[in-house]
Amino acid sequence: MEPKKTYAVLIYPYFSLQEITCLTSALTVWFGEAIDVIASESKPYFSEEGFQITPAKTVDEANPADYACIILPGTINPLHALFDERLIDFLRRGKDAGTLFAAISSSPILLSKAGVLDGRDFTAGYFMQMAETFPFVDKSHFVHRPVVEDGNVITAIGMFFREFAQCVLNRLGYDVGERFMDTSGQEYTEEDLTFYWTEEDYQEFLQELKEFTDKD
């Protein structure tokens, strides 16, 4: 059996959970992988949806080279992260580590500032005036496609979160089929929508249930 890999999600103020949960749930629930949540400070951060998450590590404690992939969610206001030099330095340290970066929506601008996108094609979901404002954004490599893969970087526009997840998982070697989380155009029978455990899984459930019922 192959050893489990470790992945990281980088968070910052107003990060978007919705844009990365297709990817993170597949990694953890489907494939049993571990994810470290990393931020600049050891404090709770609120997502743009209002969820509060406390990172497991700070960027000073984490080594980018330890991760098979660093996932960057989008954020409704990227300026907080963009002017966080500790966070940008963490990304800069990962530039030559061979780690895969997966950035969606507005977060590719963080990779631009860290120099990770130098000479690489990329896409992003931020407004184009932002690209005009910051000279470190190489507009000649901005490709207007849903998902772009170039070298050790995968970038995507936020509305294509499913395609983003599929691309990242394929790149990491996971078999998720050709219709990963895509149910469009499919019709289902009653049998298709009726679910049963295997006998082994059912017995495991009964054992777990016993731990609760024995307390009564």
Side-chain angles (χ1 to χ4, degrees), residues 42 56-63 66 93:
S42 183
K57 294 181 180 180
T58 67
V59 291
D60 295 328
E61 297 167 335
N63 180 0
D66 291 340
R93 284 189 282 129

Side-chain angles (χ1 to χ4, degrees), residues 33-215:
E33 303 291 10
I35 296 179
D36 283 346
V37 178
I38 300 172
S40 287
E41 298 180 68
S42 183
K43 68 175 187 181
Y45 286 79
F46 282 93
S47 75
E48 66 182 33
E49 300 90 351
F51 290 93
Q52 183 175 295
I53 295 182
T54 302
K57 294 181 180 180
T58 67
V59 291
D60 295 328
E61 297 167 335
N63 180 0
D66 291 340
Y67 299 100
C69 180
I70 297 174
I71 302 163
L72 286 78
T75 165
I76 199 167
N77 185 349
L79 295 179
H80 296 275
L82 192 61
F83 287 89
D84 183 339
E85 286 305 320
R86 291 167 63 190
L87 185 149
I88 298 300
D89 182 64
F90 172 79
L91 296 174
R92 198 174 284 128
R93 284 189 282 129
K95 180 181 178 182
D96 300 316
T99 299
L100 178 67
F101 288 98
I104 189 169
S105 190
S106 62
S107 64
I109 200 167
L110 307 179
L111 298 180
S112 288
K113 187 173 183 182
V116 176
L117 293 181
D118 289 352
R120 299 198 185 283
D121 288 345
F122 68 96
T123 191
Y126 52 74
F127 296 106
M128 293 309 298
Q129 290 95 327
M130 193 171 290
E132 299 290 343
T133 300
F134 297 108
F136 50 75
V137 176
D138 184 355
K139 297 185 292 296
S140 68
H141 282 274
F142 200 123
V143 181
H144 299 274
R145 295 205 307 267
V147 182
V148 174
E149 182 176 357
D150 190 346
N152 66 323
V153 182
I154 296 172
T155 53
I157 297 171
M159 71 177 74
F160 299 102
F161 53 87
R162 186 192 65 80
E163 293 86 348
F164 171 69
Q166 184 175 18
C167 182
V168 175
L169 291 165
N170 285 338
R171 172 64 181 269
L172 294 169
Y174 299 102
D175 182 7
V176 296
E178 295 181 2
R179 294 181 61 87
F180 170 73
M181 293 190 180
D182 179 9
T183 59
S184 59
Q186 297 187 56
E187 295 183 3
Y188 298 93
T189 65
E190 181 178 335
E191 183 180 1
D192 291 332
L193 300 179
T194 305
F195 310 104
Y196 291 97
W197 277 308
T198 63
E199 183 60 28
E200 182 181 353
D201 289 340
Y202 181 47
Q203 292 304 319
E204 186 177 326
F205 164 75
L206 293 177
Q207 280 297 115
E208 186 176 354
L209 176 63
K210 198 169 183 294
E211 295 177 17
F212 289 86
T213 55
D214 284 351
K215 295 176 183 177

Side-chain angles (χ1 to χ4, degrees), residues 1-7 27-28 30-34 68 174:
M1 176 180 288
E2 288 188 16
K4 295 297 182 183
K5 301 172 184 176
T6 303
Y7 300 91
L27 285 171
T28 56
W30 293 17
F31 301 111
E33 303 291 10
Y174 299 102

